[in-house]
Amino acid sequence: MLMSAPPNLPPPDQLLQRAEEILKELEKGPWPSHVAELRKTQYPLRVYGVGLAARKSPWGPGAVKVAYVNTGVLSRWARDWVPGGGVEVHFRVFHTPGKFWKTDFIRKITKISRELGVGLIEVVGQTGAFVLNLTPDKAEEMVDALRSIGTDVGGSGDAIRALNACVGPALCEFALFDTLKWYAEFHKDKRVNDNIATPNYPYKFKIKISGCPLDCARANRADIGFIGVWEGAPEVDQAKFRELVERGVVDPVKLAANCPSGAIRWDAEKKELVIDGSKCKKSMHCIRTAFPAIKPGKNRKVAVVIGGGVKGRYGPKLGWFIGYLRPDQVKEAIDLTFKVIAPWEAEAQPKYRLGDYILVTGLDKFIEKAGIKLEGMPESIAKTPDDVPYAVLPKEERDMYLKLVEELKGKVGV
């Protein structure tokens, strides 16, 4: 569907002049400018500038076919109101676990980009993907070149998209399981790679792996996400914590007040931090504030969430929690992924993300269809009329909001 031209659009020459003025403004200042760097490449910067001047995306969807590549080619064409037109084509390319690159690989990929592409590489975009811009007439050469250096075109279209995992235990002290191993094991599975290469799903499907609840890989926004968590309360080294308090590094009263679930209490008389594990929501605010005096608990698990996504028929949504795996159960995680995919692939309407299909089907019914059984699954059948399956809020908070609604209804006479 073509996007209509913005209202009151100036004549083409004035629009181009305004676009160039904006681009020059973005090159000013002591900081590095993305516009100055883009000028060194063959990227259609003029189209980008026109979009800024018009305050509307200048790009529309396009299609570029590449022989022997069923998925992975993404293209955008300038809208018909953009003077001079333009095209932007790119591949998603397989990342290495943790996005660690050897210098030799960097030299090779840079050479490919300069000789066969536009000289522009996006290493970690919004989705965590590795994107390589190219010129359409050399697309097939680029595919061969990528494969010759040990990588390949990643997933796009209605397929499994390029996987994303945080750096995990390689650099992060908060990592609760080996995200790099999980990423590698997923990529080694033939089912995963077959469904990256061949689009046969109702819509795109994203798999993301985060080592802790800080969720740097944004697993909570994936069709299936795996997030490292722990059971109960965080561990507190009271001696180290008191030291931080005495040095003025941590305000214990403020730390307790900022706990989103009210699980933390500061005992000023004993100078001890008390955390109620039954209330802890694993926000990690206290851990970030007072690490290493406060650390995640030792009983580590991997929480599984499904149905997340920014775009879809019913708008953005976070994933539903459906249970836990152990950190050593990566094979089971891969099998679970395809259990989740099966009913959606068989029944969902075109362009329905997994989360959209779950909303239509109902989470209870979906789990039944997929045959999912995990540790810690929320109750799938309400035990009493007061219970709500898969409720986000505990019963006490639900009752509080229901009482508030009744009070407001009484005030407005409903």
Side-chain angles (χ1 to χ4, degrees), residues 101-324:
W101 291 3
K102 292 183 178 180
T103 53
D104 180 55
F105 179 80
I106 295 173
R107 292 188 184 97
K108 290 176 180 177
I109 207 73
T110 302
K111 185 173 184 289
I112 290 172
S113 177
R114 287 173 176 168
E115 294 180 356
L116 303 175
V118 303
L120 179 64
I121 301 171
E122 181 182 326
V123 181
V124 280
Q126 180 184 2
T127 63
F130 166 25
V131 175
L132 202 59
N133 288 78
L134 61 120
T135 49
D137 60 317
K138 294 185 178 180
E140 290 180 27
E141 289 183 64
M142 182 176 279
V143 174
D144 292 337
L146 290 170
R147 290 171 179 169
S148 72
I149 66 170
T151 186
D152 206 342
V153 177
S156 295
D158 299 336
I160 291 179
R161 291 294 180 90
L163 277 65
N164 190 24
C166 72
V167 72
L171 291 176
C172 182
E173 62 268 32
F174 297 141
L176 302 176
F177 72 107
D178 193 341
T179 56
L180 306 184
K181 179 180 178 181
W182 277 50
Y183 180 92
E185 291 296 328
F186 264 87
H187 260 298
K188 285 160 59 178
D189 192 283
K190 186 177 184 299
R191 293 169 295 174
V192 174
N193 283 289
D194 285 348
N195 287 282
I196 286 175
T198 305
N200 61 353
Y201 290 158
Y203 202 8
K204 57 189 173 183
F205 189 90
K206 296 185 177 181
I207 304 169
K208 298 186 179 183
I209 306 165
S210 286
C212 77
L214 294 179
D215 199 12
C216 293
R218 287 170 286 219
N220 217 342
R221 285 169 36 183
D223 294 277
I224 187 166
F226 303 95
I227 305 172
V229 293
W230 67 93
E231 190 173 48
E235 291 188 351
V236 182
D237 186 322
Q238 299 292 351
K240 284 185 179 179
F241 187 78
R242 280 192 290 270
E243 181 185 345
L244 293 177
V245 172
E246 290 167 1
R247 287 166 45 202
V249 176
V250 176
D251 180 343
V253 177
K254 184 178 179 181
L255 182 142
N258 285 337
C259 176
S261 61
I264 300 177
R265 177 174 59 85
W266 170 244
D267 189 327
E269 184 177 341
K270 295 181 179 179
K271 293 188 176 181
E272 288 186 354
L273 196 72
V274 181
I275 303 179
D276 184 346
S278 65
K279 292 183 178 180
C280 178
K281 299 296 184 184
K282 314 297 186 287
S283 74
M284 288 189 65
H285 176 270
C286 61
I287 295 173
R288 285 182 295 171
T289 304
F291 187 83
I294 305 178
K295 295 181 179 180
K298 290 181 179 179
N299 187 8
R300 275 87 187 275
K301 298 181 178 181
V302 179
V304 182
V305 293
I306 60 172
V310 174
K311 295 180 180 179
R313 290 294 181 96
Y314 301 106
K317 56 187 76 65
L318 294 177
W320 288 278
F321 167 73
I322 61 168
Y324 297 108

Side-chain angles (χ1 to χ4, degrees), residues 316-378:
K317 56 187 76 65
L318 294 177
W320 288 278
F321 167 73
I322 61 168
Y324 297 108
L325 291 169
R326 297 192 311 271
D328 62 349
Q329 287 186 300
V330 61
K331 298 296 185 183
E332 289 81 355
I334 299 170
D335 291 339
L336 174 64
T337 298
F338 287 96
K339 281 186 177 181
V340 166
I341 286 173
W344 168 70
E345 180 184 8
E347 299 179 358
Q349 297 182 41
K351 299 304 177 184
Y352 267 56
R353 290 288 293 272
L354 176 67
D356 299 325
Y357 171 70
I358 292 174
L359 283 175
V360 171
T361 306
L363 188 55
D364 288 346
K365 191 69 176 176
F366 172 79
I367 286 176
E368 181 183 329
K369 286 184 176 186
I372 298 171
K373 293 183 180 180
L374 294 174
E375 174 196 349
M377 290 182 70

